[in-house]
Amino acid sequence: MRGNSFGKAFNITTFGESHGPALGVIIDGCPPGIDIDENFIQSEMDRRKPGQSAIVTQRKEGDVVEILSGVFEGKTTGTPLSMLIRNTNQKSKDYSHIADKFRPSHADFTYQKKYGLRDYRGGGRSSARETAARVAAAAIAKLILAKEGIQINGYVSRVGNISFSGALDDSNIPNIEKTPVRCPDLEVAQQMEDLIREVRKEGNTIGGIVSCNINGVPPGLGEPVFDKLHADLGKAMLSINAAKGFEYGSGFEGTFMKGSEHNDAFVIEDGKAKTATNYSGGIQGGISNGMPIYFNVAFKPVATIMQDQQSIDQNMEEQTIKGKGRHDPCVLPRAVPIVEAMAALVLVDHWLRQKTI
Amino acid sequence: MRGNSFGKAFNITTFGESHGPALGVIIDGCPPGIDIDENFIQSEMDRRKPGQSAIVTQRKEGDVVEILSGVFEGKTTGTPLSMLIRNTNQKSKDYSHIADKFRPSHADFTYQKKYGLRDYRGGGRSSARETAARVAAAAIAKLILAKEGIQINGYVSRVGNISFSGALDDSNIPNIEKTPVRCPDLEVAQQMEDLIREVRKEGNTIGGIVSCNINGVPPGLGEPVFDKLHADLGKAMLSINAAKGFEYGSGFEGTFMKGSEHNDAFVIEDGKAKTATNYSGGIQGGISNGMPIYFNVAFKPVATIMQDQQSIDQNMEEQTIKGKGRHDPCVLPRAVPIVEAMAALVLVDHWLRQKTI
Amino acid sequence: MRGNSFGKAFNITTFGESHGPALGVIIDGCPPGIDIDENFIQSEMDRRKPGQSAIVTQRKEGDVVEILSGVFEGKTTGTPLSMLIRNTNQKSKDYSHIADKFRPSHADFTYQKKYGLRDYRGGGRSSARETAARVAAAAIAKLILAKEGIQINGYVSRVGNISFSGALDDSNIPNIEKTPVRCPDLEVAQQMEDLIREVRKEGNTIGGIVSCNINGVPPGLGEPVFDKLHADLGKAMLSINAAKGFEYGSGFEGTFMKGSEHNDAFVIEDGKAKTATNYSGGIQGGISNGMPIYFNVAFKPVATIMQDQQSIDQNMEEQTIKGKGRHDPCVLPRAVPIVEAMAALVLVDHWLRQKTI
Amino acid sequence: MRGNSFGKAFNITTFGESHGPALGVIIDGCPPGIDIDENFIQSEMDRRKPGQSAIVTQRKEGDVVEILSGVFEGKTTGTPLSMLIRNTNQKSKDYSHIADKFRPSHADFTYQKKYGLRDYRGGGRSSARETAARVAAAAIAKLILAKEGIQINGYVSRVGNISFSGALDDSNIPNIEKTPVRCPDLEVAQQMEDLIREVRKEGNTIGGIVSCNINGVPPGLGEPVFDKLHADLGKAMLSINAAKGFEYGSGFEGTFMKGSEHNDAFVIEDGKAKTATNYSGGIQGGISNGMPIYFNVAFKPVATIMQDQQSIDQNMEEQTIKGKGRHDPCVLPRAVPIVEAMAALVLVDHWLRQKTI
């Protein structure tokens, strides 16, 4: 009812506030016998964590994952796999100035209205810090998917008006992690980085798009009516902080097309069924067809800016809020591992669900 | 696990294939004491049903709803409210030509791969006919929401490249149902209608966008992490047949903006908290803030065209499929009540969930 | 939230009131490719339906099942399988005398308190008539379980103080359906029948015990913590109208024993692991161990008696209620197929769930 | 799917193995604004923990609860409330002798069959140590219920053949915690204690019954069909380690009665509706009627005995298992707070669910 769980067969429940003692996650539904590579889990955490480069927030968080259950002698046991991430760098005093004020386009006002009270420190539960728990759970999901040959690659395809519109392929995938912006074209990446630096100098923020490609998905994943594969991917992506839109396959652009142009003709290639084009984005009728899945996620400019803003307080009086603290001028680079994480959680869930057919 | 249910507190489960004996829905979680207006339910069904105008499919389906349970002396009782819609106009022989062929960009191939067999008549469960059951359930949801002052208005904002980009307000809302395309601007509606006729003449189809405005939502609806209000709306919309994308508030366009432009300053107006702008689309941190909610849904050109197409059959041999039958050249006009229906189901669910806070 | 669904992988949702237009059920999660034997479904319905013999209620209900979806060319398709049972013999006027009175030990009072209104005709949703929908769904479950070699046999082991305490085996299983009481010992069955006739003559009712044996369950079904196999069986049985208790294996009697007597030693028999005794009732730590599962369900004397009783009405005034209508003097014989039905639903659900390990 | 969660509105998920780093629980659905009394939580933990008295296991476990999230300035926030309990006294080497043997009537064999591998240390996830997490969560539930005037009292009513059959009332409730056995009659408690000591001397164990009374439950809690209040209580109790049976109200004894004796006549007392007798156990049609709820739970003699036993190993060879370690000769006294905990979790869940009516 409170929506802190995700997935039906590979079910995760996260907990934790940005400035509480810890964050964490329970995975209920992890199959037994999976080899747990703790270095891989930590490397995924490191991709998400703040302070990685000059263009993201300089807060330092260790984001060290401790596995508390569900693993025995290096393998999953089939019982709940829980992971703990201690918060070690909270500075609650940074937030006393907003204890009774509502930051524009943040969740302060809506939490207060929903619950009647709120943990105002760093946004509490509404902080993107919660996604650390998702990334930890998704690292396990990725270990399972890798064994099935399913590969997920997220990347930044646009920052403001600087965009990469090429295709992702084996030649540029290795570039993604080479630059702090995570764009597969190194030149475009440099332009994006320049833009982000410029925006940061103004005490401002900027939005953009994270794209994601998924290869190796077998046909048959996804459920036909409400839990269509793309509907679950859409919900997963829209549940990420600052996400404003989702499109898959031909997306919004495809709506200008005619059916005769948009339909993906089936062909036989090397004795296997394929489609000549892939406007469907690898999903037809909500079920994977074996072709690559691809989608875009829109992220707004983050709400915390280093400029004064008009707002109100709990007494319904107008107030000016001053920008303070250590924040991301652009959420896109750090959103890449989170987008991949949510994709992995959706895919592993549907892969397990399909076993009951 | 099979994803035929939607909603946690106002939970619906639908059943039925396009060419089986009947479709239907069970609502589990409808509060007791709601006055049931059967005429209203039927009028909602009529907005969705085929054959309403010259620009939609000319199949005739009565779509008569029979309430089987959960209502006593005109009021809901709090027990499961089930509704039955008999299929009366199925012509299964229309489909024998595709019994072993996979129509491009339909769900034929993926169903076969998922289940190992499929009901090929009219797409079976993958047919948009399933949405009749959703519209019936949502009519009950709308009756509940209306009592709370929540108003949902869907409309066609673009067909191909003909678009209406104005604002929806009291002056043009009454126009929506005046034309078969359901665009609130009568002139634009005429252009859209012309385009649809033209496309139909070619035996082709065209995509577009359905937009939706929701007014009167109190602050506090939506859950903070996975079940954000916009994430649930997104999943709901993406679960509609032919949907390819979802964006709310500033959406994809907003990603070009800077934080200082995009943030919605809080102001006090008539003693109430409002935001000066509404790029947030009425939702902050996944929770409604009391401002209007608005979003767009992208619909692809429907896959059934009256032209020959390349495809394959179950024996993995290439085949030509000929277009036949009675189909919509443009799904947009009939998608409007379905978009509204899914929005109503999400809102009534979150409205009930909020009662447990 | 309203508890009209049961099962996680093989999920059923029932609807319907005893005197409404119809009852029914949707199965969401039925695997595809199951051969549907409609005669078997109907025979299961006939075992539950009233009017089968002189010792049960003489109401006539056809209980004809119509399959509305999820079956194509005689096989399940994997989509929701829904079944409809029309109510054809309702006499609502029989109930006008209790429209504003609360029958003792019925659900009239509690429904009124819960919902603020109620469908008083025949108990509405609280009537055991609802179990017809469960039996229909469970017939499908039994078809699946039979293919796996899982056999469920319920029987009446006690009526009042007449009891059968022997073991169920191949020699007496065929006797169960030979007498109207469904006790596997024909002599004891006669005594039970005599007792029921005597009680009926007094306008009274009597309780007893239904026992159930399940053979052929493979080891490994059941989940370790909350969804222990016996916990799910217990909930399933206690959800049947008039059930007051559940015990499995050694049950309440076993609590007098010492550990050294009660422990089931493992032995190897014909190269297979067995236990020398079976006080565990085939379930250890909530998970099946391959030995026969057995349990007892206590049923109270049904509340509807043909005698005057003291009660109150909606105005909180004391009233006398007169016994009227056509009712069972003893619910036990008709409870047997319902106990089996709920056992089948639990087992098929856990069998499917185990596939995701 | 893996059954580590319980409750729909007040949903808990537990994790942890007896000899892993920690146990814990996430509550998703705790209402905001509840005052958290950490001393009360710890006192509940202390009632369950081992080593409290001479008649229970002498293992020492601190069972210190650390709240990790969901509480701010002493009040719940409405976000997931998670609690961590470190395991501090594990001696894994105690269990090496059973690494490849299956202890009789334990879950060793079934876990191995279910998962293909198992954490054999102390039973791993199958250990009753898992109930510590339930007790922690239920302490929060009790704080909520106490505000609503709902009082839960568990007690030991039978050990072996020593039984207390009196009624629980204000005069003897204070006795429950006065003796290590938790029987409200001090003399009977002494006899029970003597029996337990005697059994322990033999290296044996003994079963019995925990009874529970719940007062102050308002009418209307519970759902009519599958989630009947007593069905959920039954599942909750049967999910406790070593539980073998559940009965409520008149239970198994009531099945000997006739309807005319068993029906609870409604009467008006002080202007309020009551029943003259309470064979219904406070629940009619699965819904509370405002009268006291009472039920019994049967617990088998615990399986770990200090005697040699016949069994088998993973190679399917017969083996003798020697009793070792620190264990309870009788689980009943420590089961009392666990029975109360599960009752509290069921009640708070249904209390929250009723808010959506």
Side-chain angles (χ1 to χ4, degrees):
Chain A
M1 295 285 289
R2 291 284 81 82
N4 294 290
S5 294
F6 189 82
K8 291 187 178 167
F10 191 91
N11 177 258
I12 71 163
T13 306
T14 73
F15 67 85
E17 278 79 40
S18 65
H19 285 62
L23 297 155
V25 64
I26 302 178
I27 304 172
D28 195 16
C30 184
I34 307 295
D35 289 307
I36 291 301
D37 176 348
E38 296 202 34
N39 289 333
F40 175 71
I41 300 171
Q42 201 58 54
S43 70
E44 287 291 288
M45 298 304 292
D46 292 346
R47 289 178 69 208
R48 193 213 71 95
K49 82 173 176 190
Q52 306 163 47
S53 76
I55 60 165
V56 299
T57 171
Q58 294 304 299
R59 284 194 313 277
K60 297 280 179 215
E61 284 157 0
D63 282 2
V64 177
V65 172
E66 182 188 9
I67 296 178
L68 296 178
S69 64
V71 176
F72 182 58
E73 298 179 344
K75 282 182 192 296
T76 59
T77 59
T79 61
L81 197 165
S82 62
M83 291 182 278
L84 186 72
I85 305 152
R86 291 273 171 190
N87 285 323
T88 54
N89 193 33
Q90 322 101 298
K91 299 191 184 175
S92 298
K93 61 176 188 287
D94 282 4
Y95 294 95
S96 55
H97 68 297
I98 53 154
D100 55 4
K101 292 179 199 157
F102 303 126
R103 291 169 298 166
S105 292
H106 269 281
D108 302 339
F109 176 77
T110 54
Y111 267 59
Q112 187 71 36
K113 286 291 177 181
K114 182 173 192 67
Y115 300 112
L117 56 85
R118 72 191 160 97
D119 179 350
Y120 54 79
R121 300 165 304 166
R125 183 76 177 149
S126 75
S127 165
R129 178 128 188 76
E130 181 271 338
T131 59
R134 309 187 190 192
V135 169
I140 310 293
K142 282 186 172 183
L143 289 172
I144 299 169
L145 294 171
K147 283 175 57 178
E148 303 299 316
I150 298 173
Q151 196 70 30
I152 301 169
N153 289 105
Y155 59 98
V156 173
S157 59
R158 184 159 61 69
V159 173
N161 55 5
I162 314 286
S163 65
F164 162 71
S165 55
L168 199 68
D169 55 39
D170 288 348
S171 74
N172 54 20
I173 285 177
N175 289 342
I176 297 174
E177 293 295 312
K178 280 188 188 153
T179 69
V181 271
R182 295 198 167 100
C183 172
D185 181 308
L186 298 178
E187 271 181 57
V188 178
Q190 187 58 54
Q191 294 169 41
M192 288 174 173
E193 195 177 330
D194 293 346
L195 174 59
I196 294 171
R197 286 177 190 275
E198 188 185 305
V199 162
R200 188 179 51 178
K201 238 177 271 172
E202 299 169 18
N204 221 331
T205 60
I206 186 81
I209 290 177
V210 172
S211 297
C212 188
N213 272 31
I214 310 173
N215 287 291
V217 178
L221 304 196
E223 301 295 332
V225 178
F226 297 111
D227 294 359
K228 288 182 164 84
L229 189 56
H230 59 265
D232 275 0
L233 283 169
K235 171 167 175 167
M237 298 308 146
L238 290 159
S239 79
I240 301 174
N241 308 53
K244 300 288 287 191
F246 169 86
E247 60 180 358
Y248 81 103
S250 63
F252 278 86
E253 273 305 304
T255 64
F256 291 100
M257 295 170 80
K258 293 188 180 169
S260 58
E261 304 162 307
H262 190 273
N263 282 358
D264 294 319
F266 281 106
V267 293
I268 303 292
E269 212 178 281
D270 302 329
K272 291 177 72 175
K274 301 224 163 167
T275 59
T277 48
N278 186 15
Y279 292 118
S280 297
I283 302 172
Q284 290 173 329
I287 301 168
S288 62
N289 67 359
M291 296 293 290
I293 293 171
Y294 61 98
F295 58 84
N296 296 322
V297 189
F299 288 93
K300 70 171 188 177
V302 275
T304 305
I305 57 175
M306 298 302 104
Q307 303 182 1
D308 287 359
Q309 294 184 90
Q310 267 312 109
S311 192
I312 58 173
D313 64 19
Q314 293 198 187
N315 302 319
M316 298 290 274
E317 283 171 25
E318 302 200 338
Q319 294 282 355
T320 297
I321 290 187
K322 286 182 183 299
K324 282 174 74 170
R326 302 158 298 172
H327 296 278
D328 287 297
C330 179
V331 84
L332 276 292
R334 288 180 59 209
V336 169
I338 307 171
V339 163
E340 287 182 10
M342 293 310 300
L345 291 169
V346 170
L347 283 166
V348 82
D349 188 53
H350 278 280
W351 175 75
L352 281 172
R353 288 162 77 167
Q354 181 63 8
K355 289 182 175 290
T356 63
I357 286 287
Chain B
M1 295 287 290
R2 292 282 81 83
N4 294 289
S5 294
F6 189 82
K8 291 187 177 167
F10 191 91
N11 179 257
I12 71 164
T13 306
T14 73
F15 67 86
E17 278 80 39
S18 66
H19 285 62
L23 297 156
V25 64
I26 303 178
I27 305 172
D28 195 16
C30 185
I34 306 295
D35 290 307
I36 292 301
D37 176 348
E38 296 202 34
N39 290 334
F40 176 71
I41 300 171
Q42 202 57 54
S43 70
E44 288 290 289
M45 299 304 292
D46 292 347
R47 289 178 69 207
R48 192 213 72 96
K49 83 173 176 190
Q52 307 163 45
S53 76
I55 59 165
V56 298
T57 171
Q58 294 306 298
R59 287 193 312 276
K60 298 279 179 218
E61 285 156 0
D63 282 2
V64 177
V65 173
E66 182 189 6
I67 296 178
L68 296 177
S69 65
V71 177
F72 181 58
E73 298 179 345
K75 284 182 192 296
T76 59
T77 59
T79 62
L81 196 164
S82 62
M83 292 182 278
L84 186 71
I85 305 153
R86 291 273 173 193
N87 286 323
T88 54
N89 192 35
Q90 320 103 296
K91 298 191 182 173
S92 298
K93 61 174 186 286
D94 282 4
Y95 294 96
S96 55
H97 67 297
I98 53 154
D100 55 5
K101 291 179 200 157
F102 304 126
R103 292 168 298 166
S105 293
H106 269 281
D108 302 340
F109 176 77
T110 55
Y111 268 59
Q112 188 69 37
K113 288 289 177 182
K114 181 174 192 69
Y115 300 112
L117 55 84
R118 73 193 161 97
D119 178 351
Y120 55 77
R121 300 165 304 166
R125 182 76 178 149
S126 76
S127 165
R129 177 129 187 78
E130 180 271 340
T131 59
R134 308 186 190 192
V135 169
I140 309 293
K142 283 186 171 182
L143 289 171
I144 298 169
L145 294 171
K147 283 176 58 178
E148 303 299 316
I150 298 172
Q151 196 70 30
I152 301 168
N153 289 104
Y155 59 98
V156 172
S157 59
R158 183 159 62 70
V159 173
N161 55 6
I162 314 287
S163 66
F164 163 71
S165 55
L168 200 69
D169 56 39
D170 288 349
S171 74
N172 55 19
I173 285 176
N175 289 344
I176 297 173
E177 293 295 313
K178 280 187 188 155
T179 70
V181 271
R182 296 199 167 100
C183 172
D185 180 307
L186 298 178
E187 270 181 59
V188 178
Q190 187 58 54
Q191 293 168 38
M192 288 172 172
E193 196 178 329
D194 293 347
L195 174 59
I196 294 170
R197 286 178 189 276
E198 190 185 304
V199 161
R200 188 177 53 178
K201 237 176 272 173
E202 300 169 17
N204 221 331
T205 59
I206 186 80
I209 290 177
V210 172
S211 298
C212 188
N213 273 29
I214 311 173
N215 287 292
V217 178
L221 303 195
E223 301 295 333
V225 177
F226 297 111
D227 294 359
K228 289 183 163 81
L229 188 56
H230 60 264
D232 275 1
L233 284 168
K235 172 167 175 165
M237 298 308 147
L238 290 160
S239 79
I240 301 174
N241 308 52
K244 299 288 285 190
F246 170 85
E247 59 179 358
Y248 81 103
S250 62
F252 278 87
E253 273 305 305
T255 64
F256 291 101
M257 296 169 79
K258 293 189 181 166
S260 58
E261 303 163 309
H262 190 274
N263 282 356
D264 294 318
F266 281 107
V267 293
I268 303 291
E269 209 178 282
D270 303 331
K272 293 177 72 174
K274 300 224 161 166
T275 59
T277 49
N278 185 16
Y279 292 116
S280 298
I283 302 172
Q284 290 172 330
I287 302 168
S288 63
N289 67 358
M291 296 292 291
I293 292 171
Y294 62 99
F295 58 84
N296 295 323
V297 189
F299 288 93
K300 71 170 185 177
V302 273
T304 306
I305 58 175
M306 299 302 104
Q307 303 181 2
D308 288 359
Q309 295 183 88
Q310 267 312 109
S311 192
I312 58 172
D313 64 18
Q314 294 199 185
N315 303 320
M316 297 290 275
E317 282 172 26
E318 302 201 338
Q319 294 283 356
T320 298
I321 290 187
K322 287 185 182 298
K324 279 175 75 171
R326 302 158 297 173
H327 296 279
D328 287 297
C330 179
V331 83
L332 276 292
R334 286 180 61 209
V336 168
I338 306 169
V339 164
E340 288 182 10
M342 293 310 299
L345 291 170
V346 170
L347 282 166
V348 81
D349 188 52
H350 278 281
W351 175 75
L352 280 171
R353 287 163 76 167
Q354 181 62 9
K355 289 182 175 291
T356 62
I357 286 287
Chain C
M1 294 286 291
R2 291 285 80 82
N4 294 290
S5 294
F6 189 82
K8 290 187 179 169
F10 191 90
N11 178 256
I12 71 163
T13 306
T14 74
F15 67 85
E17 278 80 40
S18 66
H19 285 63
L23 296 155
V25 63
I26 302 178
I27 305 172
D28 194 16
C30 185
I34 306 295
D35 288 307
I36 291 302
D37 176 348
E38 296 202 33
N39 290 334
F40 175 72
I41 301 171
Q42 200 58 52
S43 70
E44 287 290 289
M45 298 303 293
D46 292 346
R47 289 178 69 208
R48 194 212 71 96
K49 82 174 176 190
Q52 306 164 45
S53 77
I55 59 165
V56 297
T57 171
Q58 295 304 299
R59 287 193 312 275
K60 298 280 181 216
E61 284 157 1
D63 282 0
V64 177
V65 173
E66 181 188 8
I67 297 177
L68 296 178
S69 64
V71 177
F72 180 59
E73 297 179 345
K75 283 183 192 298
T76 59
T77 58
T79 62
L81 196 164
S82 62
M83 291 182 279
L84 186 72
I85 305 152
R86 290 273 172 193
N87 286 323
T88 54
N89 193 33
Q90 322 102 296
K91 298 191 182 174
S92 298
K93 61 175 188 287
D94 282 3
Y95 294 95
S96 56
H97 67 299
I98 54 153
D100 55 5
K101 291 178 201 157
F102 304 126
R103 292 169 298 165
S105 293
H106 269 281
D108 302 340
F109 176 77
T110 54
Y111 267 58
Q112 188 70 37
K113 287 290 177 182
K114 182 173 192 68
Y115 300 111
L117 55 86
R118 71 192 161 98
D119 178 351
Y120 55 77
R121 301 165 305 166
R125 182 77 178 147
S126 75
S127 165
R129 179 132 188 74
E130 181 270 339
T131 59
R134 307 187 192 192
V135 169
I140 309 293
K142 283 184 171 184
L143 290 171
I144 298 169
L145 294 171
K147 284 176 57 179
E148 303 298 316
I150 298 172
Q151 196 69 31
I152 301 168
N153 288 105
Y155 60 99
V156 173
S157 59
R158 185 158 63 68
V159 173
N161 54 7
I162 314 286
S163 66
F164 163 71
S165 56
L168 198 69
D169 56 38
D170 287 349
S171 75
N172 55 20
I173 286 176
N175 289 343
I176 297 173
E177 294 294 313
K178 281 189 188 152
T179 70
V181 270
R182 296 199 168 98
C183 172
D185 181 308
L186 298 178
E187 272 181 58
V188 178
Q190 188 57 55
Q191 294 169 40
M192 288 173 173
E193 194 176 330
D194 293 346
L195 175 58
I196 295 171
R197 285 177 190 278
E198 191 185 303
V199 161
R200 189 178 52 179
K201 240 177 270 170
E202 300 168 18
N204 220 332
T205 59
I206 186 79
I209 290 177
V210 172
S211 297
C212 188
N213 273 29
I214 310 173
N215 287 293
V217 178
L221 304 196
E223 300 295 332
V225 177
F226 297 111
D227 294 359
K228 288 183 163 84
L229 189 56
H230 59 265
D232 274 0
L233 283 168
K235 171 167 176 167
M237 298 308 146
L238 290 160
S239 79
I240 301 174
N241 308 53
K244 299 289 285 190
F246 170 86
E247 58 180 1
Y248 81 104
S250 63
F252 278 88
E253 273 306 305
T255 63
F256 290 101
M257 296 170 80
K258 292 188 181 169
S260 58
E261 304 163 308
H262 190 274
N263 282 358
D264 294 318
F266 281 106
V267 293
I268 303 291
E269 213 179 279
D270 303 331
K272 291 176 72 175
K274 299 225 164 165
T275 60
T277 49
N278 186 14
Y279 293 117
S280 298
I283 302 173
Q284 290 173 329
I287 302 168
S288 62
N289 67 359
M291 296 292 291
I293 293 171
Y294 62 99
F295 59 83
N296 295 322
V297 190
F299 287 94
K300 70 170 187 177
V302 275
T304 305
I305 58 175
M306 298 301 105
Q307 303 181 1
D308 287 359
Q309 295 184 88
Q310 266 313 108
S311 194
I312 59 172
D313 64 17
Q314 293 200 185
N315 304 319
M316 298 289 276
E317 283 172 25
E318 301 200 341
Q319 294 282 354
T320 297
I321 290 186
K322 287 182 183 298
K324 282 175 73 170
R326 303 157 297 173
H327 296 279
D328 288 298
C330 179
V331 83
L332 276 293
R334 288 179 61 209
V336 169
I338 306 170
V339 164
E340 288 181 11
M342 292 311 299
L345 292 170
V346 170
L347 282 165
V348 82
D349 188 51
H350 279 280
W351 175 75
L352 281 172
R353 286 163 77 167
Q354 182 63 10
K355 288 182 175 291
T356 61
I357 286 288
Chain D
M1 294 287 290
R2 291 284 80 84
N4 294 290
S5 293
F6 189 82
K8 291 188 177 166
F10 191 91
N11 178 257
I12 71 163
T13 305
T14 74
F15 66 86
E17 278 79 40
S18 66
H19 285 62
L23 297 155
V25 64
I26 302 177
I27 305 172
D28 194 16
C30 185
I34 307 296
D35 289 308
I36 290 302
D37 176 348
E38 295 202 34
N39 290 333
F40 176 71
I41 299 171
Q42 202 57 53
S43 69
E44 288 291 288
M45 298 305 292
D46 292 345
R47 289 178 69 208
R48 193 212 72 95
K49 82 172 177 192
Q52 307 163 44
S53 76
I55 59 166
V56 299
T57 171
Q58 295 304 298
R59 285 193 313 277
K60 299 280 180 216
E61 284 157 1
D63 282 2
V64 176
V65 173
E66 181 188 7
I67 298 178
L68 296 178
S69 64
V71 176
F72 181 58
E73 297 179 345
K75 283 183 192 298
T76 59
T77 59
T79 62
L81 196 164
S82 62
M83 290 181 281
L84 185 72
I85 304 153
R86 290 274 172 191
N87 286 323
T88 54
N89 192 33
Q90 320 103 297
K91 298 191 182 173
S92 297
K93 60 174 186 286
D94 281 4
Y95 294 96
S96 55
H97 67 299
I98 54 154
D100 56 3
K101 292 178 198 156
F102 304 127
R103 291 169 298 165
S105 292
H106 269 281
D108 302 341
F109 176 77
T110 54
Y111 268 59
Q112 188 70 37
K113 287 290 178 182
K114 182 175 191 70
Y115 301 111
L117 55 86
R118 72 191 160 99
D119 178 350
Y120 54 78
R121 300 165 303 165
R125 183 76 179 148
S126 75
S127 165
R129 178 129 188 76
E130 180 271 339
T131 59
R134 307 189 192 191
V135 169
I140 310 293
K142 283 186 171 184
L143 289 172
I144 299 169
L145 294 171
K147 283 175 58 178
E148 303 300 315
I150 298 173
Q151 196 70 28
I152 301 168
N153 290 104
Y155 59 98
V156 173
S157 58
R158 184 158 64 66
V159 173
N161 56 5
I162 314 286
S163 66
F164 163 70
S165 55
L168 199 69
D169 56 38
D170 288 349
S171 75
N172 55 19
I173 285 176
N175 290 342
I176 298 173
E177 293 294 314
K178 281 188 188 154
T179 69
V181 270
R182 297 200 165 99
C183 172
D185 180 306
L186 298 178
E187 271 181 58
V188 178
Q190 186 58 54
Q191 294 168 39
M192 289 173 171
E193 196 177 328
D194 292 346
L195 175 58
I196 295 171
R197 285 177 189 276
E198 190 185 305
V199 161
R200 190 179 48 177
K201 238 177 271 172
E202 300 168 17
N204 221 332
T205 59
I206 186 78
I209 290 177
V210 172
S211 298
C212 188
N213 272 30
I214 310 173
N215 287 292
V217 178
L221 304 196
E223 300 295 332
V225 178
F226 297 111
D227 293 0
K228 289 182 163 84
L229 189 56
H230 59 266
D232 275 0
L233 284 169
K235 171 168 175 166
M237 298 308 146
L238 291 159
S239 79
I240 301 173
N241 308 53
K244 298 290 285 191
F246 170 86
E247 59 180 359
Y248 82 103
S250 62
F252 278 86
E253 272 306 304
T255 64
F256 291 101
M257 296 170 80
K258 292 189 181 168
S260 58
E261 303 162 309
H262 190 274
N263 282 356
D264 294 318
F266 281 106
V267 293
I268 303 291
E269 211 178 280
D270 302 332
K272 291 176 72 174
K274 300 224 162 167
T275 60
T277 48
N278 186 16
Y279 292 116
S280 298
I283 302 173
Q284 290 172 330
I287 302 168
S288 63
N289 68 359
M291 295 293 291
I293 293 171
Y294 61 100
F295 59 83
N296 295 322
V297 189
F299 287 92
K300 70 170 186 177
V302 273
T304 305
I305 58 175
M306 299 302 104
Q307 303 181 0
D308 287 359
Q309 294 184 89
Q310 266 314 108
S311 193
I312 58 172
D313 64 17
Q314 293 199 185
N315 303 319
M316 296 291 276
E317 283 172 26
E318 302 200 339
Q319 294 283 356
T320 298
I321 290 188
K322 288 184 181 300
K324 280 174 76 170
R326 301 158 297 173
H327 296 280
D328 288 297
C330 179
V331 82
L332 276 292
R334 286 179 61 208
V336 168
I338 306 170
V339 163
E340 288 182 10
M342 293 310 299
L345 292 170
V346 170
L347 283 166
V348 81
D349 188 52
H350 278 281
W351 174 75
L352 280 172
R353 286 162 77 167
Q354 181 62 10
K355 289 183 176 290
T356 62
I357 286 288

